[in-house]
Amino acid sequence: MNVRHRIRKWIQQDPSRYADLHADMISARMGLTLEQFLWRSVKIAFLTGIILTILAYFITTYLTLQYQVGKIGIYNVFNIQVPSILTTDPGILSIQIFTVLVTFLLGIYFGYLLLLKLPGYEKRNRAIKINLTLHNAVAYMYAMRKGGAQLMTVFRSLSDRADIYGEVALEFRQIVRDADFFGHDVVTAIHHLAQTIPSEKLKDFLQDLLSVIESGGNMAEFLSLRVRLYQEEARFEQKQFLNILSLVAESYVTLFVAGPLFLIIIMVVMGMMGGSAVLQLTLMTYAIIPVGSVVFIFLIYHLSDKTEKTERYIRTKWLQTYANIRIY
């Protein structure tokens, strides 16, 4: 509790120090306060340092033991003379203590830095997911608006279909929440969402939507134009993705189909002429080709557009208000 109090005071001394981190946390919808996130990051960083320290201790113990019995297996190429004080038991112990301390401090430092980068990574991932399904969500909004639905009804209906529209629906839930629970009007709720949205594309759409609402423009015509624009952008992005896939396919055929066959033929011919290429053929067949194929599978998996299924959980709590009353 004392550490959390110090973290709170540390934040209050200079709030601008963590302004970008706080904005990334809000855009990532992490559901944590800045103080809670920093406290959790400190704990995980210390745990990371402890784990790395244990690994460093076992590694240094193994290496020093191998050195003492003369089986280290490392050849001194430059003939560097190790000081005799380091080859004694106190010297080896001091090396182990130094290595453990340095590993602990580096584990804490780099673990903490990586955890502070986590909200930014999550924000960018959510921006990508929003951009992938934005054209479908805008088309749904246009269909409902063309049918005569009010704007808040459109937002409410879209926010209830997170299993179809993913992160876009989760963002529009913020508008519904501000209107239902905080008493804001539609314009204020959209303005608040535009300030914390992770996607620049959706942010521009909301700002243009605000301009149309405040100027009293034709909402259906605006949505119709945006649907055509976003569909053209999605079509162009799909063409780019197919071009990248064709390039990856050609690279795979060249490197791991035609190339290995050519090398295998050469090795077989060299083996018939008297040379032995069994080891090279074994490495090519059981190591290079399978590993290369797995690498390309992971590459295509990360390049592909993956649909995100969003689930909403409802917690049911049984209230024991009338527990003493018998139910017939």
Side-chain angles (χ1 to χ4, degrees), residues 37-80:
F37 178 77
L38 291 178
W39 170 236
R40 183 175 297 181
S41 300
V42 169
K43 291 190 293 185
I44 297 176
F46 267 94
L47 181 61
T48 304
I50 292 172
I51 293 174
L52 293 179
T53 300
I54 295 173
L55 292 176
Y57 172 75
F58 283 111
I59 291 173
T60 53
T61 302
Y62 174 77
L63 292 178
T64 53
L65 181 62
Q66 292 290 312
Y67 184 82
Q68 289 175 350
V69 299
K71 297 180 179 180
I72 189 64
I74 299 176
Y75 183 72
N76 194 354
V77 179
F78 300 101
N79 196 18
I80 300 175

Side-chain angles (χ1 to χ4, degrees), residues 23-29 118-135 165-171 196-204 230 233 237 305-306 308:
D24 291 341
M25 290 177 58
I26 295 175
S27 298
R29 312 297 182 212
L118 183 61
Y121 295 146
E122 183 63 24
K123 175 184 176 180
R124 286 189 287 272
N125 290 334
R126 294 194 70 245
I128 294 173
K129 296 175 184 178
I130 289 172
N131 294 336
L132 288 175
T133 57
L134 181 59
H135 61 285
Y165 301 106
E167 297 292 336
V168 179
L170 295 182
E171 291 300 320
T196 61
I197 203 75
S199 171
E200 291 294 330
K201 191 174 182 179
L202 182 55
K203 183 178 180 179
D204 294 338
Y230 291 153
E233 291 180 355
E237 291 173 356
D305 299 335
K306 297 175 287 295
E308 299 290 336

